Amino acid sequence: MGFSPRQAPVFLAAIFAPSILLVGLFIVYPVVNSVGLAFTDASPLSSGRSFVGFENFVYLLEDGEFWEVLWNTVFIVGAATIIATAGGYGLATLLISGIRGAAIFRAAIFQVWVVPWIVIAILWGWLFSQDYGLVNYLLMQVGLIEAPVKWMFDQNASQWAIISGYAWRAIPFIMVICLAALQGIPSELVESAAIDGASFLQRQRYVILPLMQNIILVAALLQAVRFFQEMTMIFVLTQGGPVNATMVLSLYTYKTAFEDWDFGLASAIGTIWLILLMAFALFYVRVALRRNLA
Amino acid sequence: MNTEVLRTGSKPLPRQRSAVVYKLSRLATSFSMHALVVASLAILLLPIVWMVSTSFKPLADVFSYPPQFIPRNPTVEAYTTQFTGLLGRYFLNSVIVGLLSAVLATGAGALAAYGLSRYRLPGRNAILMFFMASLAFPIPLLMISMYLMFVQLGLLNSYIGLVIGHTVITLPVCVWLLKNFFDQLPVEVEEAAFVDGASRAYTLFRIVLPMARPALGASAIFVFVTSWNELLFGLTFVSSTSMRPLPAGISMSFLTEFEGAWSEMMALSVMVSLPIFLLFTVFQRTFMSGVTAGAVKG
């Protein structure tokens, strides 16, 4: 289907010109140029720059801090993605099970997705405030903790405070995608399984989940990619602390570039990030998605 | 659905007892389902309720123990003290940058998406894959070279630098969203227009794009919301306080001067959320009417 490009070369050139210009100048060129900078000691503070080979990469790979940041990123993004995916899918399953007022619940939950990140950052600072925070109050009421937790000053607690914010914000997105996909499952399939005596859990396990697997994986991947880029909460709440506990790759690259003004080293971090992402994407497409299609 | 299955089943049911037991167990399931939904809704909405509630409290009540969910002495004081020139300026900056980015990304995205949808271009799938992959590119990595470029072009500390930044990080999504929409539009309309002697540009701008209004709207909203959220470009590409958009402005001035005045911070949070909330509420209606109108006309 479609028209032949030969029919209208000028028209085609005209309609593609704006995006080619934008993408070429401000995505392709910067990526290529920054990867190049990773092999230099570039800094806006000094006028000259010299080629240093793999020095930046060697420094990073030998530096314990970099591995720490990498692990924190994987942990925070991974935990938040898993919680958001499980929560979003669970909610979608509940909402589609024929309860009354599902549309109202869906609309209400969707409001969470509308809250700007800067607002979540400030709000989480208040919710997780040590002395007057609602989270400490509720946890103590329920009896889960005995004394107020110093959320932003404890390494483990601060990670979970950030993870909870990420997961909270992403649940509606996963829920909406899962709802749409669940609505697409032919009801005969589920009903015939029910007639054959499959319990609710068996229907989930053997009928619905296999059909949903790919969509859940794609939604989770999209969300994880977004989490990788996101850093407003961490920037506002912890600046990566305490003791680098919430230092993630995006903030680490940003700080190296625009606080230490070490463009060479920052580019090297970004380049490793890019390589890891590509490897992960390849693995994801090859293994996770292909296996499910087969 | 289960009721029907049981009633039409071939085996005659031992009616009285099992019907009652069945109904009861169904009722119990239904009740627990509803309870579960209400509980998860309560947990999810608690932060928002707490934000709004705190914003209407006088500072003295903010730290009361046990916490008040409904303000006992409601006041709008926390809101009125926020109306400073600086906050107004941040809002204005965010609106200007958001609108310009929405127009630029949606416009450029629509043109490219139309070409990708309608013309048999070599490497069409590769182009789409590249767009999708570029979403994952590390933004700080892009920013390093963009910063050096903007220094040379003199675009630091201007709306243009921010608009370009926000446009390129949203353009891939716009192209994808709009291409999917164009794929669903029947190509016969355009073929008929060509037969009638309409030029390609005329057909695109006067026939196709008007039909795509709902998708263009969705794309523009997406860009605006992303721009409203974006912190990094606002921090880096802008150095004077008066040019900062909301997230960067708030984190650089309000949060550094903040001294435990949580009611004011929550009032600020409500005000920053409100435009996006309204946009989505209003947009849902326009979007739906746009889709149905298009369907009726088509």
Side-chain angles (χ1 to χ4, degrees):
Chain A
M1 194 211 88
F3 308 124
S4 160
R6 292 221 187 94
Q7 288 175 310
V10 180
F11 173 71
L12 271 181
I15 61 174
F16 277 111
S19 39
I20 290 178
L21 210 67
L22 282 168
V23 170
L25 272 177
F26 301 109
I27 295 182
V28 177
Y29 168 74
V31 168
V32 173
N33 188 55
S34 292
V35 171
L37 286 179
F39 298 93
T40 70
D41 61 354
S43 165
L45 301 182
S46 64
S47 50
R49 72 177 66 140
S50 49
F51 181 78
V52 296
F54 282 93
E55 206 174 279
N56 289 324
F57 293 94
V58 172
Y59 171 81
L60 282 172
L61 298 180
E62 283 177 352
D63 184 27
E65 194 181 37
F66 176 73
W67 291 105
E68 199 185 358
V69 169
L70 206 58
W71 165 245
N72 288 339
T73 312
V74 171
F75 177 68
I76 291 175
V77 170
T81 307
I82 290 169
I83 295 172
T85 308
Y89 181 71
L91 272 173
T93 305
L94 274 178
L95 285 183
I96 207 159
S97 64
I99 64 155
R100 246 168 255 174
I104 298 167
F105 285 130
R106 195 182 54 194
I109 293 169
F110 204 67
Q111 297 316 317
V112 170
W113 195 68
V114 167
V115 180
W117 278 107
I118 182 76
V119 170
I120 302 179
I122 301 172
L123 180 55
W124 247 242
W126 175 216
L127 284 169
F128 285 83
S129 144
Q130 186 187 323
D131 297 324
Y132 303 100
L134 193 61
V135 174
N136 270 344
Y137 170 78
L138 290 177
L139 287 180
M140 278 164 72
Q141 288 291 310
V142 184
L144 280 174
I145 54 172
E146 298 204 329
V149 176
K150 296 177 179 178
W151 289 102
M152 297 308 157
F153 298 98
D154 178 271
Q155 295 199 41
N156 210 248
S158 62
Q159 286 180 332
W160 284 105
I162 299 292
I163 289 169
S164 68
Y166 277 28
W168 179 72
R169 160 71 191 241
I171 281 179
F173 167 74
I174 306 275
M175 181 194 78
V176 166
I177 291 195
C178 287
L179 260 179
L182 282 171
Q183 275 158 354
I185 293 179
S187 55
E188 297 83 34
L189 271 179
V190 186
E191 276 166 34
S192 60
I195 294 172
D196 290 344
S199 70
F200 174 78
L201 283 179
Q202 284 172 325
R203 290 196 303 260
Q204 286 290 326
R205 171 72 187 81
Y206 296 105
V207 183
I208 299 176
L209 260 183
L211 289 169
M212 292 288 294
Q213 216 167 1
N214 269 342
I215 290 161
I216 294 174
L217 278 172
V218 169
L221 174 73
L222 279 176
Q223 194 52 59
V225 164
R226 258 182 255 168
F227 282 154
F228 260 98
Q229 308 270 23
E230 187 49 54
M231 49 159 266
T232 306
M233 262 186 98
I234 298 175
F235 184 86
V236 170
L237 285 177
T238 64
Q239 283 278 326
V243 209
N244 274 344
T246 57
M247 184 63 87
V248 289
L249 218 41
S250 52
L251 185 65
Y252 190 57
T253 317
Y254 174 81
K255 282 188 166 239
T256 309
F258 296 103
E259 281 179 15
D260 305 343
W261 298 103
D262 192 340
F263 277 16
L265 190 63
S267 297
I269 303 170
T271 305
I272 297 179
W273 175 359
L274 192 65
I275 293 169
L276 288 176
L277 263 176
M278 289 199 301
F280 179 67
L282 259 176
F283 166 81
Y284 209 87
V285 171
R286 278 274 162 81
V287 180
L289 297 184
R290 286 278 159 76
R291 192 193 57 206
N292 290 334
L293 289 177
Chain B
M1 73 188 172
N2 281 340
T3 350
E4 252 120 55
V5 169
L6 283 176
R7 274 186 201 143
T8 53
S10 51
K11 248 192 277 174
L13 289 165
R15 254 205 122 79
Q16 270 103 8
R17 242 190 69 212
S18 83
V20 171
V21 170
Y22 176 72
K23 263 196 180 152
L24 272 179
S25 81
R26 244 187 100 76
L27 210 67
T29 318
S30 161
F31 178 77
S32 54
M33 286 279 203
H34 280 84
L36 215 54
V37 171
V38 171
S40 30
L41 193 70
I43 293 173
L44 279 175
L45 292 188
L46 188 66
I48 296 179
V49 171
W50 191 233
M51 168 173 83
V52 176
S53 160
T54 307
S55 75
F56 286 109
K57 286 178 193 168
L59 197 54
D61 286 2
V62 164
F63 303 111
S64 70
Y65 192 92
Q68 316 167 0
F69 280 94
I70 295 163
R72 216 164 292 147
N73 312 302
T75 168
V76 291
E77 206 180 307
Y79 286 88
T80 49
T81 52
Q82 300 287 317
F83 288 120
T84 57
L86 197 56
L87 185 66
R89 184 65 204 230
Y90 292 160
F91 265 97
L92 183 71
N93 293 341
S94 266
V95 169
I96 292 174
V97 172
L99 285 179
L100 288 177
S101 311
V103 170
L104 188 59
T106 305
L111 295 179
Y114 178 75
L116 286 169
S117 167
R118 286 295 189 258
Y119 289 86
R120 288 188 304 267
L121 293 166
R124 179 159 66 172
N125 287 332
I127 296 172
L128 284 167
M129 281 307 286
F130 172 80
F131 269 120
M132 208 53 185
S134 71
L135 276 181
F137 288 171
I139 292 176
L141 187 69
L142 290 176
M143 284 173 64
I144 291 169
S145 291
M146 280 171 97
Y147 182 85
L148 294 171
M149 276 172 91
F150 287 174
V151 169
Q152 285 186 333
L153 296 170
L155 289 179
L156 282 188
N157 222 11
S158 74
Y159 289 137
I160 303 173
L162 289 176
V163 169
I164 289 175
H166 293 175
T167 298
V168 294
I169 57 169
T170 51
L171 186 63
V173 175
C174 296
V175 171
W176 265 84
L177 195 143
L178 293 163
K179 192 220 167 238
N180 283 340
F181 185 85
F182 289 135
D183 283 348
Q184 286 165 2
L185 276 186
V187 71
E188 284 77 18
V189 183
E190 290 146 74
E191 283 167 351
F194 293 154
V195 170
D196 289 347
S199 73
R200 278 169 203 271
Y202 182 91
T203 310
L204 173 58
F205 285 103
R206 304 306 291 268
I207 297 172
V208 178
L209 288 185
M211 285 198 289
R213 254 178 314 201
L216 294 173
S219 157
I221 300 250
F222 165 76
V223 180
F224 189 87
V225 172
T226 308
S227 167
W228 196 263
N229 264 304
E230 208 283 323
L231 170 74
L232 279 192
F233 291 112
L235 283 177
T236 317
F237 293 166
V238 170
S239 52
S240 71
T241 311
S242 65
M243 287 300 285
R244 289 218 159 92
L246 276 167
I250 289 173
S251 66
M252 294 300 276
S253 52
F254 285 77
L255 293 180
T256 47
E257 293 157 19
F258 161 71
E259 281 159 355
W262 283 112
S263 49
E264 289 181 7
M265 291 316 291
M266 290 302 111
L268 179 70
S269 301
V270 171
M271 286 193 282
V272 174
S273 312
L274 216 52
I276 304 297
F277 171 76
L278 290 176
L279 200 62
F280 267 100
T281 316
V282 174
F283 157 75
Q284 268 177 345
R285 219 172 280 164
T286 353
F287 184 79
M288 289 317 289
S289 74
V291 173
T292 44
V296 171
K297 274 180 217 149

